[in-house]
Amino acid sequence: MIAIYLAFDIRRGVSHYNRGANHMAEGEYDAAIACFDKAIEARGKFPEAHCNRGTAYYEKGQYDEALMDFDRAIELKPEFSDAYYNRGMVHYYKQQYDQAWDDMNKAQSLGHYVAPDLFETLG
């Protein structure tokens, strides 16, 4: 019985995650955040949901909340290049250029494309 419950729980988390991604695509950030909340609650460790929820917060201009989610995504998945890149963008918009530079360098070292002009701006 427990294995069935856990399998159902994981699928439910993915279902909420997918709905959140659809809301993100439509620019419905509050609805996306609610879905990512449910995905994280259902699945527990879910770095992709933290990263996408962080992106939704970023789009709403809620940079501190976004940073917390990107930090958690990186904590759960240290080689998550998207989370480093996204966190770097938040630092950039908060005018925290040293942190933005570090995150962009890390993202690039993990294979994420970073536009050369962004490095030029940060340099």
Side-chain angles (χ1 to χ4, degrees):
M1 186 70 153
I2 292 174
I4 294 169
Y5 175 77
L6 290 175
F8 173 77
D9 201 27
I10 289 171
R11 279 194 311 270
R12 191 172 94 186
V14 171
S15 173
H16 289 303
Y17 174 84
N18 289 338
R19 274 187 249 136
N22 288 335
H23 286 300
M24 285 285 292
E26 297 296 322
E28 300 166 348
Y29 303 119
D30 290 327
I33 289 166
C35 288
F36 295 133
D37 288 344
K38 290 177 184 176
I40 292 164
E41 181 181 327
R43 191 160 183 184
K45 296 180 180 179
F46 201 162
E48 294 81 7
H50 281 285
C51 190
N52 280 355
R53 186 174 68 181
T55 301
Y57 281 127
Y58 166 83
E59 292 292 341
K60 291 181 60 168
Q62 293 179 260
Y63 298 137
D64 292 334
E65 291 84 350
L67 283 176
M68 287 189 290
D69 268 325
F70 296 136
D71 288 345
R72 181 68 175 142
I74 291 166
E75 178 184 325
L76 293 170
K77 189 175 175 181
E79 303 302 309
F80 197 175
S81 65
D82 288 346
Y84 283 102
Y85 180 86
N86 293 346
R87 187 173 72 178
M89 291 305 297
V90 173
H91 285 305
Y92 176 80
Y93 282 103
K94 290 185 73 163
Q95 300 180 351
Q96 299 169 336
Y97 301 121
D98 289 341
Q99 294 97 322
W101 175 267
D102 291 343
D103 281 340
M104 292 302 171
N105 273 319
K106 182 66 174 182
Q108 188 173 51
S109 77
L110 293 170
H112 198 288
Y113 174 77
V114 179
D117 60 333
L118 180 56
F119 278 119
E120 192 173 303
T121 300
L122 292 171

